Coordinates of all heavy atoms in Angstrom, one line a residue:
E29 N -10.3 -19.0 15.3 CA -11.4 -18.0 14.9 C -11.1 -16.7 15.6 O -11.3 -15.6 15.0 CB -12.7 -18.5 15.2 CG -13.2 -19.7 14.3 CD -14.5 -20.3 14.8 OE1 -15.0 -19.9 15.8 OE2 -14.9 -21.3 14.1
D30 N -10.8 -16.7 16.9 CA -10.5 -15.4 17.6 C -9.3 -14.7 17.0 O -9.4 -13.5 16.8 CB -10.2 -15.7 19.1 CG -11.4 -16.2 19.9 OD1 -12.5 -16.1 19.3 OD2 -11.2 -16.7 21.0
R31 N -8.3 -15.4 16.7 CA -7.1 -14.7 16.1 C -7.4 -14.2 14.7 O -7.0 -13.1 14.4 CB -5.9 -15.7 16.0 CG -5.4 -16.2 17.3 CD -5.0 -15.0 18.3 NE -5.0 -15.5 19.7 CZ -5.9 -15.3 20.6 NH1 -7.0 -14.6 20.3 NH2 -5.9 -15.8 21.8
Q32 N -8.2 -14.9 14.0 CA -8.6 -14.5 12.7 C -9.5 -13.2 12.8 O -9.3 -12.2 12.0 CB -9.4 -15.6 11.9 CG -9.8 -15.2 10.5 CD -10.5 -16.3 9.8 OE1 -10.7 -17.4 10.4 NE2 -10.8 -16.1 8.5
T33 N -10.4 -13.2 13.7 CA -11.2 -12.0 14.0 C -10.4 -10.8 14.4 O -10.6 -9.7 13.9 CB -12.2 -12.3 15.1 OG1 -13.0 -13.4 14.7 CG2 -13.2 -11.1 15.3
E34 N -9.3 -11.0 15.2 CA -8.5 -10.0 15.6 C -7.6 -9.5 14.5 O -7.3 -8.3 14.4 CB -7.5 -10.4 16.7 CG -8.3 -10.7 18.1 CD -7.3 -11.2 19.1 OE1 -6.1 -11.3 18.9 OE2 -7.8 -11.6 20.2
L35 N -7.1 -10.3 13.6 CA -6.2 -10.0 12.6 C -6.8 -9.4 11.3 O -6.1 -8.7 10.5 CB -5.3 -11.2 12.3 CG -4.3 -11.6 13.4 CD1 -3.6 -12.8 13.0 CD2 -3.4 -10.5 13.8
E36 N -8.0 -9.8 11.0 CA -8.7 -9.3 9.8 C -8.7 -7.8 9.7 O -8.3 -7.2 8.6 CB -10.1 -9.9 9.6 CG -10.1 -11.3 9.1 CD -11.5 -11.9 9.0 OE1 -12.4 -11.2 9.4 OE2 -11.6 -13.0 8.4
P37 N -9.1 -7.0 10.7 CA -9.0 -5.6 10.6 C -7.6 -5.0 10.4 O -7.4 -4.1 9.6 CB -9.6 -5.0 11.9 CG -10.3 -6.2 12.5 CD -9.7 -7.4 12.0
L38 N -6.7 -5.7 11.0 CA -5.3 -5.3 10.8 C -4.8 -5.5 9.3 O -4.2 -4.7 8.7 CB -4.4 -6.0 11.8 CG -2.9 -5.7 11.7 CD1 -2.6 -4.2 12.0 CD2 -2.1 -6.6 12.7
A39 N -5.2 -6.6 8.8 CA -4.9 -6.9 7.4 C -5.5 -5.9 6.4 O -4.9 -5.5 5.5 CB -5.4 -8.4 7.0
V40 N -6.8 -5.5 6.7 CA -7.5 -4.6 5.9 C -6.7 -3.2 6.0 O -6.5 -2.5 5.0 CB -8.9 -4.4 6.3 CG1 -9.6 -3.2 5.6 CG2 -9.7 -5.7 5.9
K41 N -6.3 -2.8 7.2 CA -5.6 -1.6 7.4 C -4.3 -1.6 6.6 O -3.9 -0.6 6.0 CB -5.4 -1.4 8.9 CG -4.7 -0.1 9.2 CD -4.5 0.1 10.7 CE -3.8 1.3 11.1 NZ -3.5 1.4 12.5
I42 N -3.5 -2.7 6.7 CA -2.2 -2.8 6.0 C -2.4 -2.7 4.5 O -1.7 -2.1 3.8 CB -1.5 -4.1 6.5 CG1 -1.0 -3.9 7.9 CG2 -0.3 -4.3 5.6 CD1 -0.5 -5.2 8.5
Q43 N -3.5 -3.4 4.0 CA -3.7 -3.4 2.6 C -4.0 -2.0 2.1 O -3.6 -1.5 1.1 CB -4.9 -4.3 2.3 CG -5.1 -4.5 0.8 CD -6.2 -5.5 0.5 OE1 -7.0 -5.9 1.4 NE2 -6.3 -6.0 -0.7
G44 N -4.8 -1.2 2.9 CA -5.1 0.2 2.6 C -3.9 1.0 2.6 O -3.7 1.9 1.7
Q45 N -3.0 0.8 3.6 CA -1.7 1.6 3.6 C -0.9 1.3 2.4 O -0.2 2.2 1.8 CB -1.0 1.3 4.9 CG -1.7 1.9 6.1 CD -1.0 1.5 7.4 OE1 -0.2 0.6 7.5 NE2 -1.3 2.2 8.5
L46 N -0.8 0.0 2.0 CA 0.0 -0.3 0.8 C -0.6 0.3 -0.4 O 0.2 0.8 -1.3 CB 0.0 -1.9 0.7 CG 0.8 -2.6 1.7 CD1 0.7 -4.1 1.5 CD2 2.3 -2.2 1.6
Q47 N -1.9 0.4 -0.6 CA -2.5 1.0 -1.7 C -2.2 2.5 -1.7 O -1.9 3.1 -2.8 CB -4.0 0.8 -1.7 CG -4.4 -0.6 -2.1 CD -5.9 -0.9 -2.0 OE1 -6.6 -0.1 -1.4 NE2 -6.3 -2.0 -2.6
D48 N -2.3 3.1 -0.5 CA -1.9 4.5 -0.4 C -0.5 4.8 -0.8 O -0.1 5.7 -1.5 CB -2.1 5.1 1.0 CG -3.6 5.1 1.4 OD1 -4.5 5.1 0.5 OD2 -3.9 5.2 2.6
M49 N 0.4 3.9 -0.4 CA 1.8 4.0 -0.7 C 2.0 3.9 -2.2 O 2.8 4.6 -2.9 CB 2.7 3.0 0.0 CG 2.8 3.2 1.5 SD 3.6 1.9 2.4 CE 5.2 1.9 1.6
E50 N 1.3 3.0 -2.8 CA 1.4 2.8 -4.3 C 1.0 4.0 -5.0 O 1.6 4.5 -6.0 CB 0.6 1.6 -4.7 CG 0.7 1.3 -6.2 CD -0.2 0.1 -6.6 OE1 -1.0 -0.4 -5.8 OE2 -0.1 -0.3 -7.8
E51 N -0.2 4.6 -4.6 CA -0.7 5.8 -5.2 C 0.3 6.9 -5.0 O 0.4 7.8 -5.9 CB -2.0 6.1 -4.6 CG -3.1 5.2 -5.0 CD -4.4 5.4 -4.3 OE1 -4.6 6.5 -3.6 OE2 -5.4 4.6 -4.4
H52 N 1.0 7.0 -3.9 CA 2.0 8.0 -3.6 C 3.2 7.9 -4.5 O 3.8 8.8 -5.0 CB 2.3 8.0 -2.1 CG 3.3 9.1 -1.8 ND1 3.0 10.4 -1.7 CD2 4.6 8.9 -1.4 CE1 4.1 11.1 -1.4 NE2 5.1 10.2 -1.2
F53 N 3.7 6.7 -4.6 CA 4.9 6.4 -5.3 C 4.8 6.4 -6.8 O 5.7 6.6 -7.6 CB 5.6 5.1 -4.8 CG 6.3 5.2 -3.5 CD1 5.8 4.5 -2.4 CD2 7.4 6.1 -3.4 CE1 6.4 4.6 -1.2 CE2 8.0 6.2 -2.2 CZ 7.5 5.5 -1.1
K54 N 3.6 6.1 -7.3 CA 3.4 6.0 -8.8 C 3.8 7.3 -9.5 O 4.5 7.2 -10.5 CB 2.0 5.6 -9.1 CG 1.8 4.9 -10.4 CD 0.4 4.3 -10.5 CE 0.3 3.3 -11.7 NZ -0.9 2.6 -11.7
P55 N 3.3 8.4 -9.1 CA 3.7 9.7 -9.7 C 5.2 9.9 -9.6 O 5.9 10.4 -10.6 CB 2.9 10.8 -9.0 CG 1.9 10.1 -8.3 CD 2.3 8.7 -8.0
L56 N 5.8 9.5 -8.5 CA 7.2 9.7 -8.3 C 8.0 8.9 -9.3 O 9.0 9.3 -9.9 CB 7.6 9.4 -6.9 CG 7.1 10.3 -5.8 CD1 7.5 9.8 -4.4 CD2 7.7 11.7 -6.0
T57 N 7.6 7.7 -9.5 CA 8.3 6.8 -10.4 C 8.2 7.3 -11.8 O 9.1 7.2 -12.6 CB 7.8 5.3 -10.3 OG1 6.4 5.3 -10.5 CG2 8.2 4.7 -8.9
E58 N 7.0 7.8 -12.2 CA 6.8 8.3 -13.5 C 7.7 9.5 -13.7 O 8.3 9.7 -14.8 CB 5.3 8.7 -13.7 CG 4.4 7.5 -13.8 CD 4.7 6.6 -14.9 OE1 5.1 7.0 -16.0 OE2 4.5 5.3 -14.7
N59 N 7.8 10.4 -12.7 CA 8.7 11.5 -12.8 C 10.1 11.1 -12.9 O 10.9 11.7 -13.7 CB 8.5 12.4 -11.5 CG 9.2 13.7 -11.6 OD1 9.5 14.2 -12.7 ND2 9.4 14.4 -10.5
V60 N 10.6 10.1 -12.2 CA 11.9 9.7 -12.3 C 12.2 9.1 -13.7 O 13.2 9.4 -14.3 CB 12.2 8.6 -11.2 CG1 13.6 7.9 -11.5 CG2 12.2 9.2 -9.9
K61 N 11.2 8.3 -14.2 CA 11.4 7.8 -15.6 C 11.5 8.9 -16.6 O 12.4 8.9 -17.5 CB 10.2 7.0 -16.0 CG 10.2 5.6 -15.4 CD 8.9 4.8 -15.9 CE 8.7 3.5 -15.3 NZ 7.5 2.8 -15.8
E62 N 10.7 10.0 -16.5 CA 10.8 11.1 -17.4 C 12.1 11.8 -17.4 O 12.6 12.2 -18.4 CB 9.6 12.1 -17.1 CG 8.3 11.6 -17.4 CD 7.2 12.5 -17.0 OE1 7.5 13.6 -16.5 OE2 6.0 12.1 -17.1
N63 N 12.7 11.9 -16.2 CA 14.0 12.6 -16.0 C 15.2 11.7 -16.4 O 16.2 12.2 -16.9 CB 14.2 13.1 -14.6 CG 13.2 14.2 -14.2 OD1 12.8 15.0 -15.1 ND2 12.9 14.3 -13.0
V64 N 15.0 10.4 -16.2 CA 16.2 9.5 -16.4 C 16.2 9.1 -17.8 O 17.3 8.9 -18.4 CB 16.1 8.3 -15.4 CG1 17.1 7.2 -15.8 CG2 16.3 8.7 -14.0
N65 N 15.1 8.9 -18.5 CA 15.1 8.4 -19.9 C 16.0 9.3 -20.8 O 16.7 8.8 -21.6 CB 13.7 8.2 -20.4 CG 13.1 6.9 -19.9 OD1 13.8 6.0 -19.4 ND2 11.8 6.8 -19.9

């Protein structure tokens, strides 16, 4: 329980960072598709 309590905020933080990265890379991938197609 202690470890779970310690790791849950870290998991939420990592999940948020991954969502931010997805939002950042999505326009880039669309741009690459438009140029490469």
Side-chain angles (χ1 to χ4, degrees):
E29 289 172 1
D30 290 347
R31 296 307 158 256
Q32 185 176 2
T33 303
E34 290 175 8
L35 294 176
E36 279 179 353
L38 182 61
V40 169
K41 182 179 177 182
I42 290 172
Q43 188 176 15
Q45 290 174 346
L46 289 174
Q47 288 174 346
D48 291 344
M49 289 174 62
E50 181 182 9
E51 291 173 8
H52 178 72
F53 283 116
K54 202 168 195 175
L56 292 174
T57 56
E58 293 298 324
N59 189 18
V60 169
K61 281 182 187 178
E62 291 173 6
N63 291 332
V64 171
N65 283 341

